Amino acid sequence: MATTSSTPGSTIDAPIQIETRDGVAVVSVDNPPVNALSRAVRQGLVDAFSTLADDATIDGIVLAATGRTFMAGADIREFNTQPKPPLLPDLVAMIEASPHPTAAAIFGTALGGGLECALACRLRVMTDDARVGLPEVKLGIVPGAGGTQRALRLAGFEATADLVTSGRMVGSSEALELGLVDQVTDGDPVDAAIAALKGHLASANLPESASNRIVSAPAQDLVARLRSKTAAKSRGQIAPMRALDLLEETASLSFEEAVAKDRDLFLELREGNQAKALRHLFMAERTAGRPDDLANVEPRQIKQVGVVGGGLMGSGIGYAALLSGYEVVVVEQDANALERTRERFEALFEGAIKRGRLNKTGRDRLMDHIVLTNNMSDLAETDLVIEAAFEDMDVKRDIFKALDANLRPEAVLASNTSYLDIDMIAQAVHDPSRVLGLHFFSPAHVMRLMEIVRGADTAPDVLASGLAVARKLGKIPVITGVCDGFCGNRILKAYRTVAEFLVEDGASPQDVDAAMTTFGFPMGPFAVQDMAGLEIAYANRRRQGESTDPAERRPQLLERLVESGRLGQKNQKGWYRYQDGERGGRSDPETDAIIQAAAAEEGITRTRFASEEIERRLLAAMVNEGARILQEGIVAHPSDVDLVMVHGYGFPRHRGGPMFFAEQNGFERTLADVAVLHRAYGKGWEPADWLTDAAKNST
Ligand code: 3HC
């Protein structure tokens, strides 16, 4: 680090340090882990800037941070209470009004309020690997401390609208091109910021403050184009559209008026249901899979990962492991199957190259770390094996016996089963404590959810190893206990059953799908089933059917569709009829006839259901099953259910997950809806005790 002079560091407030280097005061935020702008940080910065205002010995101020990143934004944990002064907009205004020239030294990520502070400086320098962004919409809000208006004046309307409505982060070359930063460095950001500041001072060409720059109103056709793009992407989320409206409205206002309007909208949205839901998920995602009883448990060392089964799921798992830096061995049973596995990997590599995520050198390097084989004995050195074979207990137990014979005794053995009893699988090996479930979702290299299934005998360090692997793969791990379908597929079953009952009783598949897409799901339950293939659900239902109480009403339609040869999109007919070249399905008189015949046989008089009724029944089914899962201790927290449904099943993120949504709308409302299900469908639809208690406690 090239410093020519410095004075000893002084501390204004705990999270802020000031040192003088080369005649420039470096004000550093020190608030791990991400230097969020908590009240203490804001106060410390206000104190620092007011102290330095009168310091005639300095030539300028560099705003910097210590640790792993520049300031990553306002402290989200403070959003549930009224903000305490000093407020972020006041701090930002103070930075901009500093009598000394200022520069921000950005590294890691400068996000939200962090970028807003940087934009208030006269200069911004960023490291080449840093990223900047205004991700507020991802929290259901808009930038609340002038970030939108300064970005508008630096980068123009279109770029700012894109940044603010998408919340995406941009890298250094794009940030430079957009004018959000003035310089990119591959060296130390503080040194570079000091040098840049001094250089501009020496040549008397320090850029104007962003707020003083001229902004021109956007063309109407540009606004119209952005509006339709944003509407298509935001699907029920209000913040992106409100941000765009505001940007359009404020582009013709003075900076002060515009910033005041931004702040008003920030405060309004912050209190709204969507922002609360998104905050809930932000925190849940970061605390998931950290049970107290594992706090001091060391995971086993995992370097080499084996996958048994190179089908769609197994290849996706192997590919995800490869991308995350593991050595990978994939076992298939014969040469033909192995060839298909090789083709799947090639397709995955090709897809990544096409999307610009990988280049050919990267692919060749990755390929050096994967072995495709027919021999179980090639798994001898693996530290973890994930079985991703056919969903059949006997098949899985045979594989586990073979793993027991071929692997080191300390290697962790996992099954990717989505329904089966992990404890029964574990009984196939000598030491069941090394067995757990690692349930990936398809496509395994894309979907972020991973259910980590803790068997009755799973050792704590084996569970900790599963969690460590999930984190290394960038997944969101949710620990579940053993039950048929674990958390997600169990709730899915309840959801699909009620969806089918609604159709038997008079709704059309389109009515049901439309109600759920209006609620915010990307697809309705029937369109999803057609896409996945009806026979998978059919096989499952037959397997589960054996244990279903005959006194319970059972859905009939799926069986009838499959038995009449309707398998979904794969043969162009399922709940819907599909035509070449069309993305969605159309209603099919053949399906209608099957539905009507089934209803007639059951003696059902069919009636129409309003969209709201459909939505409420389906949500009640999900929440009641979630409540049962909680009361049985299958998962520990309501937020676990939320994460599973949001990340694995398309539950709209801005609703926070079924349990959060139910709580937000009052558990008593859901309890009343479950009573409707019970009256309509009878045995098996009693309200869960957990839900009854939650309703009682919330009144
Ligand atoms: N406030 C409080 N805590 C935060 C935080 C924030 N803004 N951002 C991250 N954290 C915490 C996380 O909860 C986590 O805590 P933990 O270690 O106790 O679990 C820790 O920091 C590390 O976070 P990640 O696990 O996410 O670490 P990564 O390295 O994967 O990612 C990150 C770092 C890219 C900074 C990511 O955390 C992130 O995107 N944070 C949110 C940034 C953001 O949304 N900023 C805008 C806030 S709103 C705002 O500024 C309003 C303003 O306009 C008025």
Side-chain angles (χ1 to χ4, degrees):
M1 196 182 288
T3 42
T4 47
S5 70
S6 72
T7 55
S10 67
T11 302
I12 285 276
D13 198 348
I16 306 298
Q17 273 121 39
I18 305 178
E19 61 167 337
T20 308
R21 284 204 221 166
D22 229 1
V24 172
V26 179
V27 177
S28 295
V29 177
D30 180 11
N31 183 30
V34 297
N35 290 315
L37 283 144
S38 63
R39 203 203 66 79
V41 169
R42 298 193 303 273
Q43 185 64 60
L45 285 173
V46 164
D47 292 348
F49 274 84
S50 59
T51 303
L52 292 171
D54 299 328
D55 189 339
T57 66
I58 55 170
D59 296 331
I61 301 174
V62 165
L63 180 59
T66 59
R68 69 194 232 203
T69 177
F70 193 77
M71 292 169 274
D75 190 330
I76 295 167
R77 290 164 306 182
E78 292 181 356
F79 280 9
N80 289 334
T81 53
Q82 278 308 308
K84 292 201 182 79
L87 302 178
L88 194 54
D90 299 331
L91 167 63
V92 169
M94 187 172 187
I95 294 172
E96 195 173 67
S98 167
H100 299 292
T102 46
I106 298 171
F107 68 105
T109 47
L111 300 174
L115 181 59
E116 291 179 302
C117 289
L119 292 174
C121 294
R122 300 284 286 276
L123 278 177
R124 282 155 297 284
V125 173
M126 82 189 274
T127 56
D128 49 6
D129 57 353
R131 288 172 304 165
V132 300
L134 294 168
E136 281 85 348
V137 283
K138 294 189 173 166
L139 294 166
I141 53 176
V142 294
T148 307
Q149 299 306 327
R150 288 188 176 86
L152 183 62
R153 283 156 178 80
L154 292 167
F157 192 90
E158 187 166 5
T160 304
D162 169 44
L163 287 178
V164 172
T165 59
S166 71
R168 77 184 176 93
M169 295 191 227
V170 299
S172 55
S173 39
E174 191 177 351
L176 188 63
E177 201 177 307
L178 293 176
L180 290 172
V181 299
D182 304 276
Q183 193 180 310
V184 173
T185 176
D186 59 3
D188 177 74
V190 173
D191 289 345
I194 293 174
L197 200 54
K198 294 199 139 211
H200 279 283
L201 287 173
S203 45
N205 64 352
L206 199 63
E208 189 62 82
S209 294
S211 63
N212 286 339
R213 300 192 188 189
I214 305 298
V215 57
S216 45
Q220 275 317 300
D221 59 337
L222 170 65
V223 176
R225 186 160 52 78
L226 294 175
R227 197 175 290 284
S228 60
K229 189 171 142 197
T230 306
K233 279 195 175 164
S234 47
R235 262 214 318 259
Q237 269 196 71
I238 53 176
M241 274 314 258
R242 295 288 304 272
L244 186 61
D245 289 344
L246 186 70
L247 201 51
E248 186 192 1
E249 182 194 341
T250 53
S252 54
L253 301 181
S254 73
F255 180 80
E256 287 70 25
E257 286 169 325
V259 166
K261 283 204 177 280
D262 283 1
R263 183 72 183 170
D264 287 348
L265 183 60
F266 161 80
L267 290 173
E268 178 198 325
L269 292 177
R270 203 188 66 154
E271 301 308 311
N273 281 350
Q274 292 200 358
K276 285 180 184 157
L278 292 164
R279 288 205 287 279
H280 159 71
L281 287 173
F282 180 89
M283 287 305 169
E285 281 156 359
R286 281 154 185 83
T287 49
R290 291 188 189 168
D292 292 344
D293 60 336
L294 292 188
N296 300 314
V297 177
E298 270 299 306
R300 295 182 189 181
Q301 264 238 346
I302 307 232
K303 289 189 173 151
Q304 195 178 86
V305 173
V307 181
V308 178
L312 212 57
M313 195 48 133
S315 304
I317 295 172
Y319 183 68
L322 200 57
L323 291 183
S324 301
Y326 290 107
E327 300 288 326
V328 175
V329 181
V330 181
V331 183
E332 254 300 355
Q333 36 187 355
D334 55 41
N336 280 343
L338 206 58
E339 179 54 22
R340 286 196 297 277
T341 302
R342 197 183 55 74
E343 286 165 8
R344 283 194 188 98
F345 271 92
E346 271 169 10
L348 287 166
F349 284 131
E350 281 315 306
I353 290 171
K354 233 182 242 160
R355 284 192 298 278
R357 300 243 166 98
L358 196 65
N359 57 27
K360 292 200 169 139
T361 326
R363 176 196 56 196
D364 295 346
R365 211 167 332 133
L366 284 173
M367 277 166 115
D368 288 343
H369 296 275
I370 181 163
V371 173
L372 305 181
T373 172
N374 289 136
N375 294 324
M376 278 283 190
S377 57
D378 287 334
L379 294 172
E381 294 306 313
T382 50
D383 308 297
L384 160 73
V385 169
I386 304 166
E387 165 277 313
F390 187 61
E391 199 72 342
D392 177 280
M393 182 56 82
D394 293 336
V395 170
K396 295 203 187 272
R397 284 174 61 94
D398 285 349
I399 290 172
F400 272 72
K401 277 183 197 143
L403 294 176
D404 209 15
N406 282 284
L407 269 78
R408 289 174 293 116
E410 66 276 17
V412 173
L413 307 181
S415 173
N416 175 54
T417 180
S418 25
Y419 288 91
L420 300 177
D421 185 339
I422 291 292
D423 293 332
M424 273 180 77
I425 296 174
Q427 291 313 317
V429 304
H430 285 97
D431 173 14
S433 76
R434 61 168 161 146
V435 176
L436 83 168
L438 293 181
H439 180 209
F440 289 78
F441 288 72
S442 187
H445 60 292
V446 176
M447 297 287 283
R448 289 198 68 201
L449 176 65
M450 198 159 144
E451 285 180 322
I452 313 271
V453 189
R454 181 182 213 157
D457 297 313
T458 305
D461 65 334
V462 168
L463 188 65
S465 308
L467 290 164
V469 169
R471 273 191 216 102
K472 188 159 172 188
L473 294 178
K475 305 289 180 197
I476 293 171
V478 173
I479 300 174
T480 84
V482 176
C483 67
D484 198 305
F486 313 120
C487 178
N489 280 339
R490 204 171 134 176
I491 295 176
L492 179 67
K493 182 183 165 199
Y495 174 58
R496 282 187 170 167
T497 300
V498 170
E500 237 175 276
F501 286 163
L502 282 161
V503 172
E504 285 174 15
D505 292 349
S508 68
Q510 290 91 324
D511 291 341
V512 174
D513 280 354
M516 297 326 278
T517 50
T518 303
F519 180 75
F521 278 84
M523 291 168 91
F526 296 114
V528 171
Q529 217 173 50
D530 270 357
M531 199 175 69
L534 264 52
E535 76 283 20
I536 298 176
Y538 176 77
N540 247 321
R541 195 163 295 167
R542 292 194 82 88
R543 184 181 58 75
Q544 290 166 332
E546 289 151 22
S547 58
T548 307
D549 183 342
E552 289 182 14
R553 174 174 171 185
R554 287 180 58 183
Q556 307 283 330
L557 296 176
L558 175 72
E559 279 82 346
R560 288 179 188 241
L561 290 180
V562 172
E563 284 158 13
S564 63
R566 303 185 73 91
L567 303 180
Q569 282 192 22
K570 66 166 65 164
N571 73 346
Q572 299 193 306
K573 51 185 188 174
W575 292 97
Y576 299 103
R577 176 165 55 91
Y578 296 86
Q579 278 175 358
D580 286 337
E582 281 184 6
R583 266 191 94 205
R586 296 172 175 222
S587 66
D588 189 342
E590 248 179 70
T591 307
D592 294 344
I594 292 171
I595 294 168
Q596 273 156 19
E601 272 176 47
E602 298 293 310
I604 296 168
T605 312
R606 302 184 78 233
T607 50
R608 298 305 297 261
F609 290 88
S611 185
E612 194 198 342
E613 177 72 18
I614 294 173
E615 176 195 302
R616 288 182 71 150
R617 285 196 188 195
L618 287 172
L619 288 170
M622 281 186 244
V623 175
N624 200 40
E625 198 59 35
R628 285 185 184 158
I629 285 168
L630 280 159
Q631 90 196 19
E632 290 167 24
I634 299 293
V635 298
H637 313 285
S639 58
D640 292 336
V641 175
D642 293 334
L643 289 177
V644 166
M645 295 314 290
V646 167
H647 287 287
Y649 299 84
F651 195 98
R653 192 173 170 80
H654 60 274
R655 308 272 194 183
M659 306 316 283
F660 183 83
F661 182 76
E663 184 175 11
Q664 206 167 48
N665 288 283
F667 281 119
E668 52 298 1
R669 181 181 188 261
T670 309
L671 187 62
D673 290 344
V674 174
V676 171
L677 300 186
H678 191 206
R679 275 197 302 279
Y681 311 135
K683 195 160 191 294
W685 295 97
E686 298 79 8
D689 293 344
W690 189 98
L691 181 62
T692 310
D693 292 346
K696 225 181 280 163
N697 294 335
S698 63
T699 48

